[in-house]
Amino acid sequence: MLLEVRNLKMYYETLRGYVKAVDDIDFWVEKGEAVGLAGESACGKTSAMLAVLRLLPSNGVMMGGSVNLEGLDLLKISEDEFRDNIRWKKVSVIFQGAMNALHPTKKIGDQLSEPILLHEEVDKSEAWERVGKLLDLVGVGAERLERYPHELSGGLKQRSMIAMSLVCNPALVIADEPTTALDVITQAQVLKVIKDLRRKLNLSMILVSHDLSVIAETCDKVAIMYAGKIVEFGDISAVFTEPLHPYSEQLIAAFPSVLGEKRELTTIHGFPPDLLDPPSGCRFHPRCPYTKDCCRSGERKMIEVGVGHYTACDYKVGV
Amino acid sequence: MAESLLEVQGLKKYFPIKLGFLKSLTSEAPLVHAVDGVSFKIEAGEVFGLVGESGCGKTTTGRCILRLIEPTGGRIVYKGDDITNLPLEREMRRLRRSMQIIFQDPYESLNPRMSIYDIIAEPIRLQKITENTEETLEMVKRALEEMRMVPPDEYLYRFPHELSGGQRQRIAVARAFVLEPDFIVADEPTSMLDASIRGEVLKLILSLIEKTRCAFLYITHDFALARYTCDRIAVMYLGKIVEKGLTEEVIKNPAHPYTEALLAAVPVPDPTARRTEVVIKGEVPSPINPPPGCRFNTRCPYANERCIKEEPELVEVDKNHYVACYFPLI
């Protein structure tokens, strides 16, 4: 197992109390696997990734859990060690709106080679050569090393950011909404680059997205998050064809498709809870059509239903 | 056939690019051809979709029709009257009673310092519809009830920041429908909303359209969502309509290579789906100097010399299915 996240808890400290953004989640990534982390805005999916990367905002507090990467608990090591040995070299990240994460007055080659020069004992020309090869690989082209970000289109900038995440050969790449601000055709081009890279480099990935369609097209497994909890985790086709949690079932049905016959779009009544004071019991119970008395109290634990298919709800189990 | 509620003929909008002082003395300002000869009709009670990528001119088209920006050329005929050159201050303002708009971002389209009551009552006040405040209050409450914001009293004196994104967009919809208009432009009304909330807002909008027989111009980049809302759609590319027809027809049998590529690029929420991969290369050319001939010729896999020399017109390839291409796919 490459990455194993257990009982991860991360809260935000506010004047009104703790916002329970990530509340006891478990998931894992095998080598060469792409795992999608799906959910709606403010469900805690980005916070969970920030916790794994130890990039918490100043009011973020780790409340417990472990993040094992190749046997090393990333939450136990010192900040210096994390920076020197883990970031970029073991885990890298492609941020949301990454096109705007590039420095406007630095050449693409200079920015992309920066992590190599910081982490490895190589000279500039070798670093540039390596960056050039990666730019070729993502379809930007080594000739753009000398360009500035404003000379590139949104799609090319996003692909450059993908190349940057790979410069130190990390074991795991985390992509947070990598195509959200892009147009449909550009998005398809970038997703194709990601799929090709996964095949060529046997890349392990976590892809965070609100768009289940994007995850369906790129990932092997999916974890669906709601209100700070993972409610279902399993093989992508198993979860999509036979969702076991009412929330995933309804969320999947809320996504329209251009293929197949036209069907009714599902909507989930109500809106997500305030994570300062989330509902007791199952956090989805106020919106769930199948709520029973037992849903209103107690802790929900993930149960394994099929092989590697976990859910936090038992309404479909045994039926 | 009776005349359409709204007819747009050859609509054009060019934006001049601002030049520096010295340059402006020596050369003429280049023009962005945002909308370049767009024609369509919308009937009462119909939902007509404009689909395209960012920068294709779909938003500009919507705003030109409402005269929120002045068109450069073409005609807008509303209920049989040419409104292209109506004086804005007097007559156009009167028309606005029956022509409304819903904007994309409910975080920006609602004034944060106005209460929900004031926001929805503003069009009623401006158009001097009611005699007294009781009547206004009655109308506002009814509008809130239509959007399932019940009981309305609970929302009347709240402010936008107290509401969630979905609730805010419902306020924006209530404001657009409160005067019972005959025509509404909706510019990506659900693109800021989460998937679980989006469907509910769309359903409420569709039921109001059915009830009021209002004509609806739905502007979106999302083909999959357009399928659920629109009766007919037009696909735009670089300021032109390249294909137009019944929604299901266009989605099942796209005739223009661009529509085909756009449909193939839409991600599908089904990991088991087997799809043909038609990823076109390159990016949309600049609308300042659009390519001659067919505007899609620089990226089209089927283009030949004729496509570079001559510009194809929209022609009917099937019943009510129009396409601007010399080599339609059907």
Side-chain angles (χ1 to χ4, degrees):
Chain A
M1 205 172 293
L2 179 72
L3 178 84
E4 187 178 6
V5 175
R6 289 280 173 199
N7 308 101
L8 186 68
K9 265 190 194 187
M10 199 277 282
Y11 293 176
Y12 290 108
E13 199 171 10
T14 69
L15 289 175
R16 294 195 289 148
Y18 285 116
V19 174
K20 302 173 183 67
V22 180
D23 207 2
D24 200 355
I25 65 168
D26 291 329
F27 71 95
W28 48 90
V29 183
E30 303 280 355
K31 204 160 171 39
E33 208 174 55
V35 174
L37 190 58
E40 298 177 274
S41 18
C43 73
K45 53 194 192 302
T46 296
S47 298
M49 289 306 102
L50 293 179
V52 169
L53 288 159
R54 295 192 33 181
L55 290 173
L56 297 185
S58 56
N59 64 338
V61 189
M62 287 303 308
M63 306 297 280
S66 66
V67 177
N68 265 299
L69 183 75
E70 292 173 331
L72 180 71
D73 191 343
L74 298 185
L75 301 182
K76 294 245 160 62
I77 59 179
S78 72
E79 179 57 36
D80 286 345
E81 202 184 336
F82 194 89
R83 188 181 55 234
D84 291 343
N85 300 330
I86 306 295
R87 252 178 231 141
W88 294 107
K89 288 169 95 172
K90 291 280 183 202
V91 189
S92 65
V93 60
I94 307 167
F95 279 112
Q96 189 168 2
M99 303 108 77
N100 304 322
L102 289 166
H103 195 296
T105 67
K106 277 180 151 185
K107 286 178 188 164
I108 295 291
D110 279 324
Q111 309 194 37
L112 266 59
S113 57
E114 199 180 345
I116 309 183
L117 296 172
L118 280 175
H119 283 286
E120 293 172 38
E121 303 274 314
V122 292
D123 59 8
K124 194 184 150 185
S125 61
E126 196 190 325
W128 273 55
E129 203 186 304
R130 267 168 62 185
V131 171
K133 274 190 193 139
L134 280 169
L135 285 179
D136 278 335
L137 197 64
V138 296
V140 175
E143 70 276 7
R144 292 206 168 85
L145 278 168
E146 297 275 356
R147 296 298 179 93
Y148 290 93
H150 74 268
E151 298 177 280
L152 306 185
S153 68
L156 287 179
K157 276 189 256 187
Q158 186 61 296
R159 290 192 217 182
S160 306
M161 289 304 297
I162 294 175
M164 187 171 181
S165 72
L166 301 173
V167 291
C168 293
N169 299 315
L172 176 72
V173 175
I174 297 178
D176 189 359
E177 305 270 12
T179 59
T180 301
L182 302 176
D183 262 317
V184 188
I185 289 183
T186 320
Q187 165 172 288
Q189 291 167 344
V190 170
L191 290 181
K192 190 165 181 295
V193 167
I194 292 180
K195 280 188 257 181
D196 288 348
L197 285 176
R198 284 196 50 213
R199 214 177 37 233
K200 284 182 197 155
L201 307 176
N202 193 27
L203 211 59
S204 314
M205 279 191 80
I206 299 176
L207 197 134
V208 180
S209 182
H210 71 285
D211 191 339
L212 285 177
S213 309
V214 166
I215 287 180
E217 297 224 338
T218 42
C219 296
D220 307 310
K221 278 188 185 167
V222 62
I224 294 182
M225 260 187 106
Y226 180 75
K229 299 252 187 206
I230 287 178
V231 296
E232 186 161 356
F233 178 47
D235 186 64
I236 187 106
S237 48
V239 174
F240 273 74
T241 48
E242 214 184 319
L244 294 175
H245 195 283
Y247 177 68
S248 10
E249 180 185 80
Q250 293 193 305
L251 189 66
I252 290 164
F255 276 83
S257 173
V258 290
L259 290 185
E261 287 308 307
K262 196 168 145 179
R263 51 171 173 73
E264 269 287 286
L265 271 195
T266 324
T267 63
I268 306 177
H269 195 69
F271 35 88
D274 181 359
L275 292 182
L276 270 170
D277 182 23
S280 60
C282 170
R283 291 193 177 171
F284 189 55
H285 87 253
R287 302 173 77 188
C288 180
Y290 312 106
T291 302
K292 290 179 284 187
D293 278 343
C294 61
C295 299
R296 293 175 221 277
S297 58
E299 263 308 290
R300 290 285 157 271
K301 277 280 155 210
M302 294 288 271
I303 40 177
E304 185 167 4
V305 179
V307 179
H309 192 165
Y310 298 81
T311 173
C313 180
D314 57 8
Y315 98 104
K316 268 197 175 172
V317 181
V319 175
Chain B
M1 199 175 119
E3 66 189 15
S4 307
L5 184 95
L6 177 88
E7 186 171 352
V8 177
Q9 298 166 347
L11 187 74
K12 285 184 182 164
K13 176 66 194 177
Y14 301 157
F15 292 102
I17 292 176
K18 234 184 175 154
L19 293 178
F21 173 68
L22 283 177
K23 252 195 175 159
S24 71
L25 295 176
T26 55
S27 52
E28 208 146 289
L31 295 170
V32 174
H33 297 66
V35 179
D36 208 357
V38 161
S39 307
F40 56 85
K41 294 176 186 175
I42 309 181
E43 314 292 335
E46 185 185 39
V47 183
F48 184 78
L50 272 184
V51 184
E53 294 180 277
S54 44
C56 74
K58 51 193 195 304
T59 296
T60 309
T61 305
R63 294 192 178 184
C64 277
I65 294 172
L66 295 178
R67 301 267 314 276
L68 293 174
I69 42 184
E70 290 300 322
T72 313
R75 259 158 51 93
I76 303 155
V77 180
Y78 180 65
K79 290 183 179 171
D81 300 322
D82 187 336
I83 62 161
T84 329
N85 295 306
L86 273 191
L88 272 182
E89 279 300 312
R90 284 165 291 131
E91 276 141 81
M92 200 60 213
R93 180 169 287 181
R94 204 163 52 227
L95 258 186
R96 298 221 187 279
R97 174 171 182 177
S98 73
M99 301 173 97
Q100 291 288 328
I101 185 165
I102 302 167
F103 291 102
Q104 173 174 15
D105 188 349
Y107 290 81
E108 292 191 358
S109 69
L110 304 180
N111 187 336
R113 298 176 63 173
M114 282 165 86
S115 69
I116 302 306
Y117 169 77
D118 285 328
I119 288 170
I120 302 178
E122 197 178 24
I124 307 175
R125 271 194 214 123
L126 288 175
Q127 295 285 345
K128 306 190 178 67
I129 308 282
T130 50
E131 305 269 310
N132 51 43
T133 41
E134 277 94 81
E135 273 181 59
T136 314
L137 184 66
E138 207 41 52
M139 277 180 89
V140 172
K141 278 189 182 174
R142 223 179 311 133
L144 282 171
E145 274 165 9
E146 297 273 19
M147 293 315 291
R148 305 254 173 82
M149 309 271 292
V150 283
D153 292 306
E154 198 171 301
Y155 296 98
L156 281 176
Y157 300 105
R158 291 220 219 158
F159 287 86
H161 74 265
E162 296 174 76
L163 304 181
S164 69
Q167 289 174 318
R168 278 186 227 211
Q169 195 58 307
R170 284 196 256 170
I171 299 296
V173 174
R175 174 175 64 182
F177 274 96
V178 70
L179 300 178
E180 304 202 340
D182 297 316
F183 174 60
I184 291 183
V185 173
D187 191 354
E188 305 263 17
T190 59
S191 68
M192 304 287 288
L193 305 180
D194 268 319
S196 71
I197 293 158
R198 171 171 79 188
E200 195 170 359
V201 174
L202 275 181
K203 273 185 190 158
L204 287 170
I205 293 179
L206 289 177
S207 72
L208 274 173
I209 293 172
E210 204 170 310
K211 210 162 125 189
T212 61
R213 299 270 305 144
C214 156
F216 204 77
L217 179 66
Y218 182 84
I219 297 169
T220 183
H221 69 283
D222 189 336
F223 232 127
L225 215 52
R227 189 177 180 197
Y228 288 85
T229 38
C230 304
D231 302 311
R232 285 190 303 135
I233 52 171
V235 181
M236 278 186 84
Y237 183 74
L238 264 184
K240 296 234 176 226
I241 289 180
V242 296
E243 184 164 2
K244 183 164 73 172
L246 295 172
T247 310
E248 275 304 286
E249 182 62 26
V250 172
I251 285 177
K252 292 241 165 79
N253 303 306
H256 197 283
Y258 175 66
T259 316
E260 183 193 41
L262 195 60
L263 277 167
V266 178
V268 169
D270 179 5
T272 56
R274 286 183 180 278
R275 315 187 62 197
T276 42
E277 221 173 66
V278 200
V279 178
I280 49 170
K281 298 214 160 55
E283 273 131 26
V284 186
S286 153
I288 299 172
N289 283 310
C294 171
R295 296 197 169 179
F296 189 55
N297 76 49
T298 51
R299 304 167 79 192
C300 182
Y302 315 102
N304 72 4
E305 272 169 34
R306 190 177 176 201
C307 306
I308 300 167
K309 286 196 190 112
E310 297 167 55
E311 187 160 352
E313 294 285 320
L314 267 182
V315 287
E316 194 164 7
V317 283
D318 200 353
K319 198 171 176 293
N320 286 325
H321 191 167
Y322 297 82
V323 62
C325 180
Y326 292 124
F327 308 102
L329 302 168
I330 54 170

